[in-house]
Amino acid sequence: MAKKRKKASSRKIAVAAHDAKYGDDMIEVKLRFWTNNIAEAEGKLVPKNAWAAGIVRIEQNTAHGIKPRRPEQFHTLLDIGTAIEKVLIAHGIVLHPSRKMSKYSPKKPQKPKK
């Protein structure tokens, strides 16, 4: 039987902003690629070679209250975005669109002038 994952709460919780130490102000997502069974000899590796599969995990960050959970696997390079999204959602992280992303958002309709 597969274990059910806990879903992050969809309720909005008011959180007060606070100071963070230098280096703790960013949320870090780590991408790791499998390197096993590429070299012909057991226990050896071929430098700068990896499979197009691996895991995405989030690093602990006490300033943001992030404790790492189970990493998310990806099996192709196209799966990386989905794996990152799943990890962010599982940790309850909310992303805000950057200024450059505004071109993807609908523009607010202007009120007609009288």
Side-chain angles (χ1 to χ4, degrees):
M1 234 160 114
K3 286 184 180 178
K4 282 192 172 186
R5 283 194 207 170
K6 288 183 181 178
K7 288 189 177 181
S9 175
S10 60
R11 293 182 295 159
K12 291 187 179 188
I13 300 169
V15 178
H18 62 277
D19 293 333
K21 293 179 188 172
Y22 181 79
D24 285 345
D25 55 344
M26 294 185 80
I27 296 171
E28 186 175 351
V29 175
K30 187 179 274 190
L31 198 64
R32 301 185 72 185
F33 292 91
W34 306 128
T35 59
N36 60 321
N37 301 329
I38 293 177
E40 293 178 15
E42 181 75 26
K44 301 286 183 178
L45 65 89
V46 179
K48 299 182 182 179
N49 281 257
W51 297 107
I55 59 170
V56 174
R57 65 183 308 263
I58 196 156
E59 294 293 302
Q60 181 167 336
N61 187 314
T62 53
H64 286 282
I66 297 171
K67 293 179 183 172
R69 295 185 181 186
R70 197 178 107 215
E72 188 69 38
Q73 290 189 10
F74 62 92
H75 302 285
T76 70
L77 294 179
L78 294 175
D79 291 341
I80 292 174
T82 303
I84 291 171
E85 183 180 21
K86 287 180 179 179
V87 166
L88 293 173
I89 291 169
H91 288 83
I93 296 171
V94 177
L95 297 180
H96 299 266
S98 64
R99 279 182 257 130
K100 288 197 173 196
M101 284 192 67
S102 66
K103 63 184 170 187
Y104 301 110
S105 300
K107 300 211 182 332
K108 292 181 183 176
Q110 293 181 356
K111 293 181 181 178
K113 293 181 182 178
K114 292 182 180 181

